[in-house]
Amino acid sequence: MSTTIMTPMPLETGFPQSLQPFPLLEGGLQKQRPKAKTRKHFFIALVASFTALCLLLVLVFYGYIAWMLTYPYVAPLTSNPKAAVGLDYEDILLPSVSGKTTVSGWYVPAADNDSDAVLASSTQSSERTVIFSHGYGANREESWVPMYDLTKLLHGLHYNVVLFDYGYASQKYKAPATGGIEESQQLLAMINFAKSRGAQEIVVWGFSMGAGTALQAALQTNDIDAMILDSTFLASSDTMFHNVTQILPLPKFPSMPLIETLLPIWSGANLKQVPVKQILAKSFNIPLYIMHGTNDAKAPYQLAEQIAAGQSNPLSRSWIVPNGQHEMLFRASPTEYIQRAALFLGQVDQQFQAQSEAESNSSAESSQTL
């Protein structure tokens, strides 16, 4: 009979390596995940995170561009008609026609019994008013035009003058730029104000996007009797992107679709709402004087030519200035600029007076017949 002697072994020490029936896996008996598969999942997660971060940065970048377009930097006012050119004025503050924004400006009454007034013949208040519609990125002063000098000129010609800030230019009543959609409502408010002060003949003198806004307003009212349009800019996805690329050389895709998509977040308005096609196809029944330069880097002069070609009013005309730059036509040829504008205003006034007399005679004849 054989005897087997067992060597005592504490159970807590486990099996000796030489006696283990199968090698122990890390973490007990659970199966270990292959290292290659773990690395693959980590790499996928890393790529996904990096891609998400890049997309977020792209959205932030284009969101910032959209915000800058909606809230452009505009310098504060530096003077007023009295301090700049010695003209008395009144402050204007009223809501836009839409009621969404507040508009502030100045009202400069026409010269009364002024020896320098070419057309003033009495001490009565003038029934003629010019409303200045300033451009994007500027305020009612728009020094490079320059607005104060034109105001003094018109004051001497016996015109009332309205100067005001669009919402994006206002320091106190800030509102987003909407490409003329809400701005046209602000302009209409100023037209209503001029009418409330006795204006029978209203001329809107617009610059850049202010000219484009004037065209939008003219689609909505019959209270505008003539327009002078200097360097007309119509806001659209193409024109806005073109102007952005003057500062940043961005690719058209995906830049333009992203900017167009993100703009409404800040402005509450879509550029597709701007009636560009309607304006280009419209033959306005009022006189338009369209001025534009061939070297305009912000708005192509062909746009001005297209609008001018569609007009049928006998007083409508265009002045395409060789080598003229955006909103710099006055500075390039101040004497010619003023002469052309004054002649146009004079002809508009004669036409307006003739129409008024014809309407009065027609009404008188109708009354006699009755």
Side-chain angles (χ1 to χ4, degrees), residues 138-168:
N139 56 33
R140 71 185 85 161
E141 291 180 319
E142 197 150 7
S143 58
W144 55 81
V145 172
M147 214 72 95
Y148 286 127
D149 290 340
L150 291 180
T151 299
K152 188 172 183 179
L153 169 70
L154 292 168
H155 176 79
L157 293 175
H158 205 52
Y159 280 89
N160 307 305
V161 179
V162 173
L163 306 95
F164 72 100
D165 289 335
Y166 284 116
Y168 59 80

Side-chain angles (χ1 to χ4, degrees), residues 36-258:
K37 191 173 183 180
T38 301
R39 291 195 188 97
K40 180 179 179 181
H41 287 177
F42 175 76
F43 179 75
I44 292 174
L46 183 63
V47 171
S49 299
F50 179 76
T51 302
L53 178 61
C54 290
L55 290 174
L56 179 62
L57 291 175
V58 168
L59 288 176
V60 170
F61 173 73
Y62 283 104
Y64 178 71
I65 292 178
W67 182 86
M68 290 291 290
L69 290 172
T70 305
Y71 292 96
Y73 170 76
V74 179
L77 297 172
T78 60
S79 187
N80 58 62
K82 185 67 173 179
V85 288
L87 299 179
D88 293 329
Y89 69 96
E90 303 173 25
D91 289 316
I92 307 171
L93 184 64
L94 67 163
S96 69
V97 168
S98 70
K100 296 179 180 179
T101 53
T102 301
V103 196
S104 60
W106 297 318
Y107 177 69
V108 181
D112 285 337
N113 202 23
D114 188 342
S115 59
D116 294 330
V118 176
L119 299 176
S121 58
S122 69
T123 58
Q124 295 180 352
S125 299
S126 175
E127 295 182 343
R128 302 179 305 166
T129 299
V130 170
I131 301 175
F132 283 125
S133 176
H134 69 76
Y136 177 81
N139 56 33
R140 71 185 85 161
E141 291 180 319
E142 197 150 7
S143 58
W144 55 81
V145 172
M147 214 72 95
Y148 286 127
D149 290 340
L150 291 180
T151 299
K152 188 172 183 179
L153 169 70
L154 292 168
H155 176 79
L157 293 175
H158 205 52
Y159 280 89
N160 307 305
V161 179
V162 173
L163 306 95
F164 72 100
D165 289 335
Y166 284 116
Y168 59 80
S170 176
Q171 298 296 313
K172 190 174 182 180
Y173 306 100
K174 201 72 173 179
T178 62
I181 298 170
E182 174 60 20
E183 288 81 1
S184 64
Q185 304 303 298
Q186 296 163 4
L187 176 56
L188 288 173
M190 287 298 165
I191 292 171
N192 291 340
F193 169 81
K195 287 176 59 183
S196 72
R197 300 305 293 267
Q200 299 297 319
E201 179 184 341
I202 296 176
V203 178
V204 177
W205 195 331
F207 304 86
S208 187
M209 197 164 82
T213 299
L215 287 167
Q216 290 191 51
L219 294 175
Q220 306 173 55
T221 182
N222 294 321
D223 292 327
I224 301 175
D225 298 293
M227 292 191 291
I228 299 177
L229 307 174
D230 184 333
S231 306
T232 302
F233 179 91
L234 293 175
S236 66
S237 299
D238 288 327
T239 55
M240 295 299 285
F241 175 72
H242 171 74
N243 280 271
V244 169
T245 56
Q246 301 299 305
I247 304 172
L248 295 172
L250 299 173
K252 191 168 186 177
F253 184 86
S255 302
M256 195 168 77
L258 283 173

